[in-house]
Amino acid sequence: MLKVLKFGGTSVGTLDRIQNVTEIIKKIKNEGHDVIAVVSAMSGETNKLIEYANTFAKKPASHELDMLLSSGERVTSALLSIALNEQGYLATSMSGREAGIVTDNSHTKARIEHIDTQNMSKAIKDGKVVIVAGFQGVTKDGRISTLGRGGSDLTAVAIAGAIKADVCEIYTDVDGIYTTDPRIEPKAKKLDMISYDEMLELASLGAKVLQNRSVEMAKKLNVNLVSRSSFTPEVEGTLITKEENIMEKPLVSGIALDKNQIRVGMYKVRDIPGIAATIFTALASADINVDMIVQTVAVDGRTDLDFTIPTNDLETCEGVMKIFEDDVENIDYNEDVCKVSVVGVGMKSHTGVAAKAFSAMAKENINIRIISTSEIKVSMIVSEKYAELAVRALHDVYNLDK
Ligand code: ADP
Ligand code: ASP
Ligand code: MG
């Protein structure tokens, strides 16, 4: 079998942890498999590099940031390769460019356009373990690009899809996908399987265990994706797969929490046709990912408009809002909010899931500020101080610990 393995920041966080990764790879090689290993930077490294850049500039040029940030992953890929070679296993490290990962020009959040697998295939044929620096590629103009935070997951899935690997195993510091973040709810249960769509919702709604774009790509390319632990590699992880492969469809699969949210309140907006279109077009043009939107009933030709954005888009949003100063009486930005979400494919065919979520909030006296629903999720904006309580209350009301 050809296996693509990905080791996240904590899994390569110290030299000892890198040594531990060599043990995992050697075992899989000894079982007769071919291995491509994708590695993250050592944990904390990417944040540290961003801080370094910010000491010199508030908004460094994005292609310079990419040059800087891609270095973290190169360090670990080379160290892992050096260690394996020393231990008698042929290995070769590759940057994103050497691995043939070509992206568009959107520096710091580049999209993979295609992967030329030639170099990797040749190295595999020569019996080598290929160690790819995750999170990066090269633009058509030959500049280094990065794929957005958590992007090494995407590197692994994209390579697995392009080279038609049998499986893509994402090794991290938990042994699979749980019904919610086990750091918040210790009673959370590990799932044996979860559908691509549910995992995509959980990841997009805040569960950082897998990067959402990697799940989207896995679904598109039909990659057998497994989440498991580098700390306990003997434990079976969670398989992320097609919905039809899952026999018993749970009503609710998991609860996600996203603290990285800001609620923007526009009060007494002029209620004229086209105003919402103008506002949200301006936000979209500024590349701001608006999520939940509520508009209240207009009174005296004025209406209130509330929406949420990711925390790191605050400054850009404030800039955009300047255009609308004459159309609105007052705008406020509330950072004391978070989004809790309930995800499950069973919602498609069962009623009462949302009502249950609202009752759980009511029982804990948690005020819900904004609600949004889709076919397989219910999301609520609540005060950030209730974040963990809300997650545990939801976990409890759907009996996810059972
Ligand atoms: P890596 O550095 O390996 O990429 P991350 O820190 O990005 O790892 O993701 C792993 C973390 O995701 C876990 O430590 C856990 O706290 C968190 N997490 C959030 N939601 C879940 C969930 N539903 N199941 C498992 N882990 C989760
Ligand atoms: N090192 C990058 C980050 O911290 C990419 C990754 O770890 O997946 O976001
Ligand atoms: Mg991650």
Side-chain angles (χ1 to χ4, degrees):
M1 280 215 271
L2 171 57
K3 296 189 170 197
V4 174
L5 319 176
K6 181 260 173 176
F7 298 93
T10 3
S11 301
V12 294
T14 63
L15 301 179
D16 278 348
R17 296 300 314 159
I18 293 178
Q19 176 55 37
N20 171 66
V21 168
T22 67
E23 301 301 336
I24 297 175
I25 293 176
K26 286 190 299 189
K27 181 159 180 289
I28 296 175
K29 268 305 262 184
N30 293 344
E31 288 164 1
H33 304 299
D34 290 323
V35 173
I36 297 175
V38 174
V39 287
S40 285
M42 294 166 96
S43 59
E45 195 60 27
T46 308
N47 287 342
K48 190 186 82 183
L49 293 171
I50 293 173
E51 260 172 51
Y52 282 0
N54 287 339
T55 57
F56 299 110
K58 224 169 140 192
K59 275 209 157 139
S62 54
H63 61 276
E64 298 296 354
L65 264 181
D66 279 353
M67 180 71 178
L68 178 70
L69 299 189
S70 60
S71 67
E73 277 50 26
R74 288 178 174 228
V75 170
T76 40
S77 62
L79 288 174
L80 182 56
S81 183
I82 290 169
L84 279 168
N85 277 309
E86 184 63 18
Q87 293 165 42
Y89 287 74
L90 290 176
T92 182
S93 62
M94 291 188 189
S95 65
R97 179 204 305 266
E98 289 166 307
I101 301 172
V102 179
T103 73
D104 66 9
N105 287 326
S106 323
H107 285 282
T108 73
K109 46 178 182 236
R111 294 195 156 264
I112 298 178
E113 291 196 335
H114 86 111
I115 302 185
D116 176 358
T117 55
Q118 243 182 52
N119 278 349
M120 288 188 286
S121 296
K122 163 127 199 345
I124 295 282
K125 231 174 161 184
D126 294 343
K128 292 177 184 163
V129 175
V130 176
I131 318 278
V132 180
F135 174 56
Q136 58 187 279
V138 63
T139 67
K140 275 169 286 188
D141 321 335
R143 295 217 57 136
I144 290 182
S145 52
T146 64
L147 309 176
R149 298 307 304 268
S152 297
D153 292 342
L154 180 61
T155 304
V157 171
I159 290 177
I163 207 159
K164 302 203 165 38
D166 298 282
V167 66
C168 178
E169 300 187 330
I170 309 286
Y171 285 83
T172 181
D173 54 7
V174 279
D175 57 9
I177 309 300
Y178 279 70
T179 45
T180 193
D181 190 338
R183 289 177 209 277
I184 298 174
E185 174 52 279
K187 286 190 283 187
K189 275 245 145 65
K190 191 173 86 184
L191 303 165
D192 292 334
M193 290 188 186
I194 184 167
S195 68
Y196 290 124
D197 288 332
E198 288 169 304
M199 191 63 236
L200 184 56
E201 286 285 8
L202 286 174
S204 305
L205 294 166
K208 70 166 185 167
V209 58
L210 286 174
Q211 189 224 28
N212 59 354
R213 281 169 59 193
S214 74
V215 182
E216 198 174 37
M217 174 89 70
K219 182 183 177 191
K220 196 169 110 197
L221 303 179
N222 220 338
V223 172
N224 281 314
L225 189 60
V226 176
S227 161
R228 59 194 307 168
S229 168
S230 69
F231 290 75
T232 52
E234 66 287 355
V235 176
E236 294 259 344
T238 302
L239 175 69
I240 298 104
T241 186
K242 284 189 208 157
E243 195 182 317
E244 51 264 39
N245 292 342
I246 300 173
M247 300 300 251
E248 225 177 297
K249 294 192 181 42
L251 184 59
V252 167
S253 291
I255 313 294
L257 169 64
D258 189 354
K259 289 187 171 178
N260 186 22
Q261 293 278 309
I262 289 182
R263 171 178 169 233
V264 183
M266 300 180 80
Y267 300 105
K268 302 216 163 136
V269 185
R270 283 204 301 141
D271 189 33
I272 47 170
I275 186 82
T278 323
I279 293 171
F280 292 106
T281 305
L283 291 165
S285 307
D287 222 3
I288 298 175
N289 207 341
V290 175
D291 184 25
M292 299 158 98
I293 303 172
V294 221
Q295 183 179 343
T296 50
V297 178
V299 180
D300 300 332
R302 294 272 171 173
T303 179
D304 294 344
L305 204 53
D306 270 38
F307 55 91
T308 61
I309 56 167
T311 309
N312 49 6
D313 284 336
L314 174 59
E315 241 175 81
T316 321
C317 182
E318 284 172 330
V320 172
M321 286 297 128
K322 289 210 172 76
I323 314 170
F324 301 106
E325 264 164 7
D326 296 336
D327 298 306
V328 54
E329 210 171 277
N330 176 35
I331 302 178
D332 78 20
Y333 300 90
N334 188 350
E335 296 191 48
D336 169 37
V337 294
C338 67
K339 179 167 62 186
V340 281
S341 309
V342 178
V343 173
V345 283
M347 284 181 212
K348 285 187 200 171
S349 49
H350 287 77
T351 55
V353 176
K356 221 171 189 173
F358 306 150
S359 310
M361 295 300 97
K363 201 173 141 215
E364 297 294 343
N365 236 330
I366 300 173
N367 195 18
I368 307 169
R369 314 266 189 79
I370 306 181
I371 297 167
S372 84
T373 61
S374 79
E375 210 181 20
I376 65 165
K377 72 130 201 266
V378 179
S379 291
M380 294 167 285
I381 293 289
V382 303
S383 168
E384 192 167 322
K385 66 172 181 277
Y386 296 127
E388 284 79 13
L389 178 62
V391 168
R392 287 194 284 264
L394 291 169
H395 199 267
D396 197 51
V397 79
Y398 299 107
N399 293 317
L400 293 180
D401 57 334
K402 301 279 151 50

